């Protein structure tokens, strides 16, 4: 199966900061990479699909990039509602796998 | 729009079978993969498997043959069975739609916590 590794595992930042989360796949997955946001006690919510396409309703301060094995999620100007855990997920292989998550906390 | 809701017991005894049902409303089950994903307390997400409307399935090998997912399109439901459970199977279980066109889990249920304890 394809292993997905996110870094960092946790991150402290302030409102207004620019943050970047990295996701690395154990083999090339082309651009079959999605990002989800999860808040405590809630189901994950799709943010970005196919590396860089924003899901309907997601603010443009979220962006994604990458290809092959290395991908990034960037939040350009952190808002209070962005503090959550973020997961990457590959859909290249039908044994779908997620990264371990990056918890974004308020500094 | 499509909505999903999980139902089933919140507590299962060790070595028994965990059974959950997901009810789909607001849409058809004739396309896409219908999936189960779980999340142990404080941990990450693990895809368990999916079923297609034809009954075709695909499972995570990590569950070592203990998992079975079935579909009943007449009731707009799909179900998860996980046998020989241990405490390691304690988790929030989500049902979700895997939209094949975009390759994403785009609709999720609210999740249901299932504990394994005697």
């Amino acid at each position: 199966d394809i292993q997905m590794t996110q870094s960092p595992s946790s991150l402290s930042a302030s409102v207004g900061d620019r943050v970047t989360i990295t996701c690395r796949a154990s083999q090339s997955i082309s651009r079959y990479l999605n990002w989800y946001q999860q808040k405590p006690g809630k189901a994950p919510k799709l943010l970005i699909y196919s590396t860089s396409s924003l899901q309907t309703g997601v603010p443009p301060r979220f962006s994604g990039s990458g290809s092959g094995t290395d991908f990034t999620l960037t939040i350009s100007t952190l808002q209070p509602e962005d503090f959550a855990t973020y997961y990457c997920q590959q859909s290249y292989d039908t044994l779908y796998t997620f990264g371990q998550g990056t918890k974004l906390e308020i500094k | 729009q499509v909505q999903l809701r999980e139902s089933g017991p919140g507590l299962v005894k060790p070595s028994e079978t965990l059974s959950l049902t997901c009810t789909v409303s607001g849409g058809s089950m004739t396309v896409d993969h219908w999936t189960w994903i779980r999340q142990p307390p404080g941990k990450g997400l693990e895809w368990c498997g999916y079923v297609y409307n034809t009954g075709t399935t695909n499972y995570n090998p990590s569950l070592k043959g203990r998992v079975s997912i079935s579909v009943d399109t007449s009731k707009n439901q799909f179900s998860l069975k996980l046998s020989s459970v241990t405490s390691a199977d304690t988790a929030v279980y989500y049902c979700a739609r895997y939209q094949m066109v975009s390759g994403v889990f785009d609709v999720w249920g609210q999740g249901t916590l299932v504990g394994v304890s005697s």
Side-chain angles (χ1 to χ4, degrees):
Chain A
D1 53 334
I2 300 174
Q3 305 297 321
M4 307 300 294
T5 304
Q6 289 180 232
S7 60
S9 295
S10 63
L11 175 60
S12 293
S14 302
V15 172
D17 284 354
R18 177 185 180 92
V19 300
T20 297
I21 298 168
T22 298
C23 179
R24 174 165 288 175
S26 60
Q27 66 181 73
S28 176
I29 57 170
S30 185
R31 290 174 60 83
Y32 294 94
L33 190 283
N34 310 311
W35 291 96
Y36 300 82
Q37 176 194 66
Q38 186 179 35
K39 295 184 178 179
K42 300 293 187 182
K45 169 190 167 185
L46 175 66
L47 292 178
I48 289 174
Y49 62 96
S50 300
T51 296
S52 58
S53 297
L54 245 57
Q55 176 70 344
T56 303
V58 174
R61 63 180 179 272
F62 290 92
S63 63
S65 65
S67 68
T69 60
D70 295 315
F71 302 86
T72 59
L73 170 70
T74 298
I75 310 172
S76 60
T77 307
L78 270 177
Q79 298 301 303
E81 60 268 29
D82 299 337
F83 291 94
T85 300
Y86 293 85
Y87 293 93
C88 61
Q89 174 253 325
Q90 63 82 19
S91 55
Y92 179 84
D93 181 13
T94 55
L95 201 174
Y96 307 117
T97 47
F98 294 87
Q100 81 280 15
T102 294
K103 186 173 184 179
L104 179 54
E105 299 175 302
I106 300 174
K107 184 183 287 185
Chain B
Q1 75 237 27
V2 173
Q3 293 184 312
L4 307 178
R5 186 181 77 251
E6 304 89 352
S7 59
L11 187 63
V12 182
K13 290 182 169 57
S15 80
E16 296 191 346
T17 297
L18 179 159
S19 296
L20 296 173
T21 296
C22 183
T23 300
V24 180
S25 59
S28 169
M29 294 188 72
T30 55
V31 293
D32 301 318
H33 290 162
W34 302 94
T35 70
W36 288 95
I37 294 166
R38 69 180 184 176
Q39 185 172 36
K43 296 189 177 180
L45 300 162
E46 179 183 33
W47 171 77
C48 299
Y50 68 67
V51 64
Y52 193 55
N53 70 305
T54 59
T56 300
T57 55
N58 186 26
Y59 302 130
N60 191 328
S62 72
L63 295 174
K64 297 185 176 74
R66 298 189 295 128
V67 63
S68 174
I69 300 175
S70 59
V71 64
D72 186 340
T73 54
S74 67
K75 295 182 179 178
N76 262 26
Q77 292 178 335
F78 62 106
S79 299
L80 169 74
K81 291 189 185 300
L82 184 64
S83 63
S84 304
V85 297
T86 69
S87 58
D89 296 309
T90 292
V92 174
Y93 286 78
Y94 295 99
C95 58
R97 181 178 75 174
Y98 180 80
Q99 190 193 84
M100 293 172 65
V101 170
S102 303
V104 296
F105 300 106
D106 68 332
V107 180
W108 296 66
Q110 82 279 9
T112 186
L113 175 62
V114 181
V116 177
S117 175
S118 54

